[in-house]
Amino acid sequence: MDYFSWQDGTLHAEEMRVSELAERFGTPLYLYSRAALERRYQAFDEAFGDHPHRIFYAVKANSNLAVLNLLARQGSGFDIVSGGELERVLRAGGTPDDIVFSGVGKTDEEIETAVRAGIHCFNVESAEELDRIQHIGREQDRVAPVALRVNPDVDARTHPYISTGLRENKFGVAIEDAPALYKKAAKASHLEVLGVDCHIGSQLMELGPYEDAVQRVLALVDRLTQEGMVIRHLDLGGGLGVQYENQVPPTPEDYVATLLRHVPRDMPVHIEPGRSIAAEAGIFVTRVLYLKPTDQRNFAIVDGAMNDLIRPSLYGAWQEIVPITPHDADCRQWDLVGPVCETGDFLGKDRTLALEAEDLLAVRAAGAYGFAMASNYNARNRPAEVLVDEDQAFLVRRRETIEDQLQLESRLP
Ligand SMILES: *Cc1c(COP(=O)(O)O)cnc(C)c1O
């Protein structure tokens, strides 16, 4: 089911007209659907059937408190990559036991806070980090639960910036080095080995790379078990792709079924989906400011820019852009560009659309890595975020003001 659909000739978010929400909250604007978020979470959860499992939503995809809170109410856990995300999860109603902490550059302060909070597990990305966690655990007289993030050296066949499971990437420890590190962790006084972790990349459109990774990780688990270690969970990371263009990604059902074909019945499986829960639950709404047809190209200048939604500029990502209330002005090929002073500031190029000034457009599948990657570049205020629940709309982050931006700065005396 699509929670953003046209009724009476105009785009709706659940039961609300997007055009009315744009009037009420202004543009540019992020709009999320509660039902879409919950449904995607449930699709993953249900796909596991009675296989022991936990879902740790990857907070970095969309860390709005309301989004985290809805997922916490569904029973989701959370994969975090910073102390800031730890605080967000706790404020959103998650508990420390719902949290796994990934990331290659955890600071002492972040580790101290997470050990003190009693999080579920650290996904450890290097030998030095393991030492640091042991040290901090001893200082606090607390035992820290750990899994090693292993790098299975598989090609996720995705964009190089979001491929993480190759030997040449900065993530995890080489799978060949893992047994020695596990031995060390098992002997450490203030570490408790819980599991094995991997995460091979994002926006994966095929299941083959997951199968390769899971087989390599299971071979490691066998070896660790033979050496007398008890591995209590397998964390297979996130990364399932979503539909931006024509290519259709595997469903949560196919993805989970494929993983479970390889995993022993009694081995608990953790996954960390981010994009595949949040992306299709959100749209980015922007308004046409000016139409500027030229000899070379036709520019539609819109009020949303690369600072609001950077995926097209950063990765050359293609996202569908649709008119909110289609009409039949002349169709042309448009480049949809923002007000930011960079030629790389575009939301889409060569889009065939019938446009007039003041038209509203929606960029689809913008619920993940949209607002979360927004910045104040060009001193632009970051957009508002609104969550729709059937026929109600909640402002879950108000639009920034210039006062918000300036508050942290000061002039010399
Ligand atoms: C980013 C990330 C995820 C989530 O990736 P998605 O592509 O959004 O599903 C999961 N685990 C780790 C360790 C990550 O860094």
Side-chain angles (χ1 to χ4, degrees):
M1 156 140 196
D2 196 343
Y3 298 92
F4 297 94
S5 62
W6 279 271
Q7 299 158 37
D8 311 322
T10 191
L11 186 66
H12 283 60
E14 300 197 17
E15 293 163 28
M16 305 203 73
R17 286 169 178 261
V18 172
S19 58
E20 285 177 12
L21 296 172
E23 288 297 334
R24 183 161 144 206
F25 298 105
T27 56
L29 177 69
Y30 278 97
L31 270 186
Y32 310 127
S33 152
R34 173 179 186 169
L37 277 167
E38 293 180 343
R39 190 56 223 136
R40 285 297 279 189
Y41 173 83
Q42 290 158 5
F44 281 104
D45 192 35
E46 287 161 13
F48 278 97
D50 57 6
H51 192 105
H53 67 280
R54 280 194 79 176
I55 298 165
F56 294 89
Y57 166 70
V59 173
K60 73 175 188 284
N62 183 328
S63 58
N64 182 283
L65 282 188
V67 169
L68 300 180
N69 173 254
L70 285 183
L71 291 169
R73 293 194 217 177
Q74 292 290 310
S76 187
F78 298 94
D79 172 52
I80 62 165
V81 292
S82 73
E85 289 188 352
L86 172 62
E87 196 55 38
R88 278 185 175 272
V89 169
L90 298 177
R91 301 256 188 123
T95 69
D97 188 51
D98 297 326
I99 295 173
V100 296
F101 194 169
S102 305
V104 286
K106 302 177 188 78
T107 65
D108 282 1
E109 197 187 343
E110 288 173 323
I111 295 170
E112 281 158 16
T113 309
V115 170
R116 197 170 304 114
I119 64 165
H120 183 70
C121 195
F122 285 90
N123 288 335
V124 180
E125 305 223 11
S126 65
E128 293 210 356
E129 183 191 329
L130 199 62
D131 291 341
R132 204 69 71 80
I133 296 173
Q134 152 70 11
H135 179 76
I136 290 169
R138 184 164 22 178
E139 274 179 356
Q140 293 192 16
D141 196 22
R142 284 192 167 88
V143 174
V146 295
L148 277 187
R149 176 171 177 179
V150 298
N151 186 327
D153 195 27
V154 299
D155 183 357
R157 298 195 278 275
T158 183
H159 190 285
Y161 288 8
I162 51 176
S163 187
T164 57
L166 282 170
R167 198 191 295 274
E168 69 203 49
N169 301 133
K170 69 180 174 183
F171 299 98
V173 300
I175 199 159
E176 311 81 67
D177 300 340
L181 276 178
Y182 268 103
K183 231 176 247 167
K184 191 170 157 196
K187 283 197 209 117
S189 56
H190 290 77
L191 299 177
E192 182 191 15
V193 172
L194 280 196
V196 179
D197 170 52
C198 73
H199 169 73
I200 57 175
S202 197
Q203 185 55 12
L204 271 70
M205 297 303 273
E206 307 164 41
L207 294 174
Y210 280 112
E211 295 201 82
D212 294 347
V214 91
Q215 284 166 332
R216 288 178 200 191
V217 169
L218 280 168
L220 171 64
V221 172
D222 279 347
R223 172 153 173 207
L224 297 174
T225 309
Q226 278 161 22
E227 291 174 7
M229 250 170 275
V230 183
I231 298 300
R232 290 199 263 152
H233 74 245
L234 215 55
D235 184 336
L236 299 171
L240 187 63
V242 301
Q243 184 169 5
Y244 289 115
E245 209 162 349
N246 297 324
Q247 210 192 349
V248 182
T251 61
E253 292 77 11
D254 288 345
Y255 160 74
V256 171
T258 301
L259 298 181
L260 294 187
R261 263 204 295 284
H262 300 276
V263 179
R265 260 315 281 129
D266 55 350
M267 173 63 82
V269 173
H270 295 175
I271 56 169
E272 303 167 347
R275 187 190 308 272
S276 53
I277 287 181
E280 289 168 27
I283 59 173
F284 176 65
V285 181
T286 183
R287 193 183 283 282
V288 176
L289 295 174
Y290 300 102
L291 294 179
K292 191 170 169 183
T294 72
D295 292 347
Q296 303 290 318
R297 308 190 71 83
N298 299 319
F299 296 107
I301 298 154
V302 297
D303 65 3
M306 64 186 291
N307 74 294
D308 305 307
L309 178 62
I310 203 176
R311 297 187 64 260
S313 304
L314 184 63
Y315 314 120
W318 191 98
Q319 292 188 222
E320 193 183 2
I321 302 175
V322 292
I324 282 171
T325 310
H327 53 71
D328 32 69
D330 278 354
C331 250
R332 292 192 198 211
Q333 298 269 103
W334 295 101
D335 284 359
L336 300 153
V337 301
V340 162
C341 302
E342 301 259 350
T343 300
D345 176 28
F346 63 91
L347 297 178
K349 289 185 176 172
D350 288 321
R351 303 303 175 91
T352 307
L353 290 165
L355 289 185
E356 289 175 345
E358 303 203 5
D359 277 358
L360 287 168
L361 297 168
V363 183
R364 307 209 54 165
Y369 305 106
F371 186 90
M373 295 177 98
S375 77
N376 292 118
Y377 188 39
N378 278 207
R380 288 167 54 86
N381 295 315
R382 284 180 292 173
E385 294 176 283
V386 168
L387 198 140
V388 173
D389 181 7
E390 297 183 347
D391 60 356
Q392 285 183 288
F394 300 92
L395 180 64
V396 294
R397 192 181 203 274
R398 69 162 168 80
R399 187 176 303 284
E400 274 178 349
T401 64
I402 190 62
E403 286 310 319
D404 293 329
Q405 288 192 53
L406 292 176
Q407 185 168 280
L408 304 178
E409 297 174 36
S410 50
R411 305 196 304 189
L412 292 184

